[in-house]
Amino acid sequence: MRSIYCGKLNKDHVGQEVELCGWINKRRDLGGLIFIDLRDREGLVQVVFDPEVEGLMDVANTLRQEFCVQVTGTVRARPESQINQDMATGEVEILGTGLTIINRAEPLPLDFNQENSEERRLTYRYLDLRRLEMSDRIKLRAKASSFVRRFLDSNDFLDIETPVLTKATPEGARDYLVPSRVHKGSFYALPQSPQLFKQLLMMSGFDRYYQIVKCFRDEDLRADRQPEFTQIDLETSFMTSAQVRDITERLICEMWQELLDVDLGQFPVMSYEEAMRRYGSDKPDLRNPLELIDVADLVKDVEFKVLAGPANDEKGRVAVLTVPGGASLSRKQIDEYTKFVGIYGAKGLAWMKVNDLDAGLEGIQSPIAKFLNEEVIKGILERTNAQTGDIILFGADKRNVVNEAMGALRLKVGLDLELTNLGQWAPLWVVDFPMFEEDDEGNLHAVHHPFTAPKDISAAELEANPAGAISDAYDMVLNGYEVGGGSVRIHNNDMQQAAFRILGIDEQEQQDKFGFLLDALKYGTPPHAGLAFGLDRLVMLLCGTDNIRDVIAFPKTTQASCLMTNAPSVANPDALKELAVTVTAQQKDAE
């Protein structure tokens, strides 16, 4: 039915007869001549229907937006004055000689000429995907997937599938559960990642594995998170963490070079401790020049308890953010930033404007200046290298609150005041994460997952001081997004059991949940390490959008629902009975 895609026509095709299939993007009637822009997945081309060509005008007069048609015609060059530089095919047009309406379209529920709400776009996603902007994103995603396969295949990785119906394992989020009809009362879990299976593949001798795989996590959603997402999963044996970082860095660099013609350069490496200290985040956006600076030692003896309290608390932090030109901020803007940090648990936002550095205390404007002596203020100005016209913003609280609040404020101020270089690419490796973190009740949790190996310590040393252990883990960060993360895995039975004990998993639970893994570790397990990329997030960055739903063909909303299919839906009672599943009255009412 088609001899070429619309978007691939150019001056080399002038004089050729072509057959095209696609949708009417736009129709114009100009003095008897009818023009249409015909669209397919590769782009647009202009088609002209001339009254001198018999038998076409009656049909052409009925054409409307989104009619699906077949057009036969001759490619001709446009006059110089009519070349459309905004179209890839703008140097040519088609003189129509044949026209068939394959299917008509009713009036559209989407207006392709203006912005539609995301809710409406998701409800009519099959129409939304026809837009060239959306089809270009889906095509770029396909190219990215193709590149990954070619790169990993050429580096001796084997594409191996792992089960989708599996056993629940702790991965940091709630599992999606699937009831078993055969084993009534028992449930499969959809994988949050193929973590244990890829480790088992290393134990099976497949020393380089990869998979582009669906993963599932029942967690709170946001613009860059979905309940089902796609992961580029890979694992290697007999490779160090540095070697894994090297090969995966090459993968991303070559992908950006091929798809965007962008040279990312060599990725800097930063420790977790340094990232948190300087940026309040383990995924810092290095396009933003602002940094946090600790001043606890300068304010620990002041009478102002808001600063002195956290300064004298071993779990506290007092850090400042110096914003160039920020003295111009109004009180209303500062109040808005105060409300913003409150989202992250901060109780307030102290500030100090440097109106005239040379004027000493007289040049300082701050509601807290009366609580600080001249020596303290001078010390803060010197440490921050604040200049006339700057503002210093203070965060003082528990360390985690300050990190989250001031880290988020850093990003917001950078965007609001146009300090962040949005035209730059800023990759980074973050390494040397803590092995465990402590919650408010004093319980330890794995920072990555319980199969991550510690660096340079024995099992006995790990159990003696778990809070001080550093993991051999690494995250790849790009423009403030964690795009991939991995680690060296525990490949020793004693070490794995020690990690489980630290996490409060007793021997019986270890056997119930991980007996197969502990057994496998007894039989000549090789050292192994791996990494997983979020494909959706990578494509989101490649496309220049900040919404992961823009690069997934049929995504879910932030309520984990599909507006197009109305999923999830109430299950058939007979199916539930066969599965031995009972829905409570409260759940029925909620439906």
Side-chain angles (χ1 to χ4, degrees):
M1 294 183 69
R2 168 171 58 199
S3 61
I4 191 171
Y5 283 112
C6 298
K8 292 189 173 181
L9 290 165
N10 56 52
K11 291 185 74 172
D12 292 340
H13 300 100
V14 169
Q16 295 182 19
E17 184 175 76
V18 294
E19 292 182 330
L20 307 174
C21 291
W23 290 266
I24 306 298
N25 197 68
K26 186 184 295 184
R27 174 188 177 277
R28 304 177 299 283
D29 190 337
L30 302 177
L33 293 175
I34 294 177
F35 294 82
I36 64 169
D37 289 341
L38 188 64
R39 184 192 72 244
D40 58 24
R41 77 170 209 195
E42 296 298 326
L44 300 168
V45 69
Q46 178 172 282
V47 181
V48 184
F49 296 108
D50 191 313
E52 294 182 4
V53 180
E54 294 184 9
L56 290 184
M57 298 307 289
D58 288 344
V59 180
N61 274 315
T62 68
L63 296 177
R64 297 293 182 270
Q65 189 178 19
E66 295 308 304
F67 276 27
C68 182
V69 300
Q70 181 188 36
V71 171
T72 302
T74 302
V75 183
R76 66 184 187 185
R78 289 200 200 188
E80 193 73 29
S81 61
Q82 296 179 19
I83 291 175
N84 187 342
Q85 301 293 346
D86 295 329
M87 291 175 62
T89 61
E91 292 184 309
V92 298
E93 63 185 9
I94 310 300
L95 175 62
T97 56
L99 171 63
T100 301
I101 297 176
I102 298 172
N103 257 317
R104 298 174 182 270
E106 295 183 2
L108 300 176
L110 295 180
D111 188 339
F112 284 13
N113 296 313
Q114 68 177 31
E115 288 290 324
N116 297 279
S117 70
E118 186 176 45
E119 180 179 4
R120 200 149 187 84
R121 288 174 54 209
L122 293 179
T123 301
Y124 298 97
R125 189 62 162 186
Y126 44 86
L127 294 177
D128 186 47
L129 289 173
R130 289 185 188 176
R131 297 189 301 118
L132 287 176
E133 180 182 38
M134 287 302 299
S135 64
D136 285 345
R137 289 169 177 166
I138 299 302
K139 284 158 54 182
L140 186 58
R141 182 188 178 106
K143 291 177 181 177
S145 296
S146 174
F147 175 85
V148 168
R149 294 187 188 282
R150 285 185 281 113
F151 179 93
L152 293 175
D153 288 344
S154 67
N155 281 276
D156 299 325
F157 283 80
L158 299 175
D159 184 355
I160 307 175
E161 294 180 346
T162 54
V164 173
L165 296 176
T166 183
K167 189 173 185 176
T169 57
E171 293 281 352
R174 289 178 294 272
D175 290 306
Y176 279 102
L177 300 177
V178 180
S180 170
R181 178 186 61 81
V182 177
H183 305 281
K184 289 183 170 55
S186 295
F187 294 81
Y188 299 102
L190 301 182
Q192 295 186 36
S193 82
Q195 181 61 46
L196 294 184
F197 286 105
K198 64 183 177 183
Q199 288 189 243
L200 291 168
L201 286 170
M202 296 303 101
M203 300 173 197
S204 303
F206 300 101
D207 62 350
R208 291 195 179 193
Y209 138 94
Y210 85 94
Q211 186 181 186
I212 299 180
V213 59
K214 279 286 188 183
C215 300
F216 308 86
R217 294 184 181 179
D218 186 4
E219 58 187 349
D220 295 334
L221 306 183
R222 58 193 184 202
D224 65 337
R225 183 181 286 171
Q226 283 278 295
E228 53 178 314
F229 57 96
T230 306
Q231 194 163 283
I232 305 168
D233 201 52
L234 58 92
E235 195 80 6
T236 68
S237 296
F238 310 112
M239 289 182 71
T240 65
S241 56
Q243 290 172 320
V244 172
R245 293 203 311 270
D246 177 68
I247 197 167
T248 51
E249 181 176 320
R250 285 199 291 114
L251 186 155
I252 296 303
C253 284
E254 292 182 24
M255 179 190 292
W256 251 248
Q257 189 72 61
E258 179 170 312
L259 300 182
L260 296 184
D261 194 23
V262 167
D263 181 3
L264 292 176
Q266 186 172 356
F267 292 13
V269 180
M270 183 181 296
S271 72
Y272 170 87
E273 185 278 329
E274 182 183 354
M276 298 303 293
R277 174 172 51 82
R278 294 173 61 186
Y279 306 108
S281 171
D282 60 1
K283 48 181 184 295
D285 187 347
L286 299 187
R287 299 174 301 169
N288 182 329
L290 302 179
E291 294 190 21
L292 300 180
I293 298 174
D294 287 298
V295 295
D297 60 309
L298 300 177
V299 298
K300 63 191 306 183
D301 296 325
V302 302
E303 296 181 3
F304 190 41
K305 291 184 178 179
V306 171
L307 297 182
N312 288 282
D313 182 351
E314 64 178 13
K315 294 185 178 180
R317 185 180 187 190
V318 183
V320 298
L321 197 64
T322 304
V323 182
S328 62
L329 291 173
S330 68
R331 186 56 189 267
K332 180 182 178 182
Q333 290 172 302
I334 295 173
D335 288 344
E336 289 175 353
Y337 287 139
T338 303
K339 290 179 182 177
F340 176 78
V341 296
I343 297 171
Y344 301 90
K347 302 178 184 66
L349 183 67
W351 53 272
M352 181 183 292
K353 289 186 177 182
V354 185
N355 294 325
D356 185 353
L357 185 64
D358 295 331
L361 290 181
E362 296 299 320
I364 300 299
Q365 177 188 354
S366 172
I368 66 169
K370 59 188 176 183
F371 301 110
L372 310 176
N373 61 42
E374 183 175 1
E375 183 180 353
V376 170
I377 293 176
K378 183 179 179 182
I380 291 171
L381 294 175
E382 288 180 352
R383 184 167 297 180
T384 59
N385 195 31
Q387 304 297 312
T388 297
D390 295 351
I391 189 171
I392 301 172
L393 304 174
F394 290 75
D397 211 307
K398 295 294 184 185
R399 183 177 293 108
N400 64 318
V401 173
V402 171
N403 288 340
E404 288 190 30
M406 297 300 285
L409 181 63
R410 169 183 173 267
L411 296 178
K412 182 170 177 57
V413 169
L415 291 173
D416 289 350
L417 302 187
E418 298 183 350
L419 301 172
T420 302
N421 184 354
L422 298 179
Q424 176 185 356
W425 290 101
L428 173 70
W429 283 110
V430 178
V431 301
D432 293 347
F433 287 80
M435 185 88 170
F436 304 102
E437 59 186 353
E438 188 177 306
D439 63 21
D440 293 337
E441 286 74 43
N443 299 314
L444 292 177
H445 302 274
V447 170
H448 279 82
H449 52 63
F451 318 108
T452 300
K455 289 187 75 171
D456 306 323
I457 58 173
S458 66
E461 290 170 325
L462 178 65
E463 288 199 82
N465 183 24
I470 299 298
S471 66
D472 202 351
Y474 34 84
D475 282 357
M476 183 187 288
V477 177
L478 186 56
N479 290 2
Y481 289 95
E482 178 198 330
V483 295
S487 67
V488 172
R489 323 302 188 185
I490 294 173
H491 66 279
N492 174 275
N493 195 300
D494 292 340
M495 182 69 80
Q496 186 64 76
Q497 289 184 300
F500 285 152
R501 285 194 293 270
I502 291 167
L503 295 170
I505 304 174
D506 61 32
E507 289 190 17
Q508 185 60 52
E509 190 177 1
Q510 290 179 31
Q511 286 302 316
D512 291 343
K513 290 185 175 179
F514 309 106
F516 62 95
L517 175 69
L518 294 173
D519 285 344
L521 286 169
K522 299 174 183 177
Y523 301 110
T525 300
H528 53 285
L531 182 142
F533 289 108
L535 176 62
D536 310 299
R537 199 168 289 176
L538 286 173
V539 177
M540 182 183 79
L541 288 167
L542 286 167
C543 290
T545 178
D546 59 1
N547 189 335
I548 207 167
R549 293 186 289 275
D550 286 341
V551 299
I552 299 173
F554 300 104
K556 305 289 190 297
T557 68
T558 53
Q559 299 300 313
S561 62
C562 174
L563 298 179
M564 185 181 69
T565 63
N566 290 321
S569 58
V570 177
N572 183 294
D574 292 336
L576 291 176
K577 184 177 180 180
E578 196 171 17
L579 293 167
V581 172
T582 301
V583 179
T584 67
Q586 183 181 7
Q587 289 171 314
K588 287 180 180 177
D589 292 341
E591 296 289 349

